[in-house]
Amino acid sequence: MRAVLQRVSEASVTVDDNITGEIKQGLLILFCAEHGDNDDQAAYFARKISKMRIFTDEDGKMNRSVIDVNGSVLAVSQFTLAANWKKGNRPGFSGAANPSEGERLYEFFCNALQNEGLSVEKGVFGAHMDVKLRNDGPVTIVMDSKDSA
């Protein structure tokens, strides 16, 4: 499982000229389920993300979570985070979960974020999406379940 968190002042996702998700201050999360990923990992990611202190306090230090700043989340499925780019010039994506399992884990992850108390907007799984963001900082965190203990 992989996720890329971007602290944003605003973000939106559009599909076929329709905005499907839009937030102000918060996190844009690009999410990818890989073969062998499970609900426990998705729930763990949601817990960590909800408590991760990457927003600044009054002293300019990163001491606040997205919950602490009353921020929202825009979660976007992105199977390309599973890219195998080491051989050749065209990345392969065979490490990504199959579409039905990927969608199930994406929805589970979004629900787990909501269960942590976050307001969650979403993209459309499997759709071609136009994602816009204003990165705040910039602050970008890469999470990979292979790195978690």
Side-chain angles (χ1 to χ4, degrees):
M1 187 167 294
R2 295 180 183 175
V4 175
L5 285 58
Q6 294 183 300
R7 189 177 76 184
V8 298
S9 55
E10 61 185 7
S12 66
V13 62
T14 303
V15 177
D16 297 328
D17 296 323
N18 295 312
I19 294 174
T20 63
E22 185 174 34
I23 64 169
K24 295 296 182 191
Q25 181 184 35
L27 294 172
L28 170 65
I29 302 172
L30 305 174
F31 177 84
C32 176
E34 298 176 288
H35 290 295
D37 289 343
N38 59 50
D39 294 357
D40 289 341
Q41 290 168 310
Y44 173 73
F45 268 38
R47 280 192 308 276
K48 288 298 285 185
I49 289 167
S50 70
K51 294 172 180 62
M52 196 175 295
R53 297 184 314 172
I54 57 175
F55 290 84
T56 55
D57 63 15
E58 58 279 350
D59 295 324
K61 300 207 186 280
M62 288 199 287
N63 276 326
R64 292 189 172 147
S65 70
V66 65
I67 291 174
D68 294 335
V69 299
N70 295 314
S72 300
V73 168
L74 176 57
V76 176
S77 62
Q78 189 171 349
F79 77 93
T80 60
L81 291 177
N84 181 346
W85 49 268
K86 293 180 182 174
K87 288 186 177 181
N89 294 318
R90 183 168 51 177
F93 304 104
S94 60
N98 69 55
S100 62
E101 182 63 2
E103 184 173 16
R104 188 192 71 73
L105 281 167
Y106 167 69
E107 293 295 338
F108 183 93
F109 172 70
C110 290
N111 288 333
L113 288 168
Q114 289 175 326
N115 290 340
E116 293 295 327
L118 291 165
S119 172
V120 178
E121 295 281 319
K122 300 188 294 187
V124 176
F125 186 90
H128 183 271
M129 295 176 272
D130 180 19
V131 179
K132 295 180 182 175
L133 70 140
R134 181 169 290 150
N135 203 324
D136 177 22
V139 173
T140 303
I141 307 291
V142 178
M143 298 174 67
D144 189 326
S145 59
K146 295 175 185 83
D147 297 334
S148 58

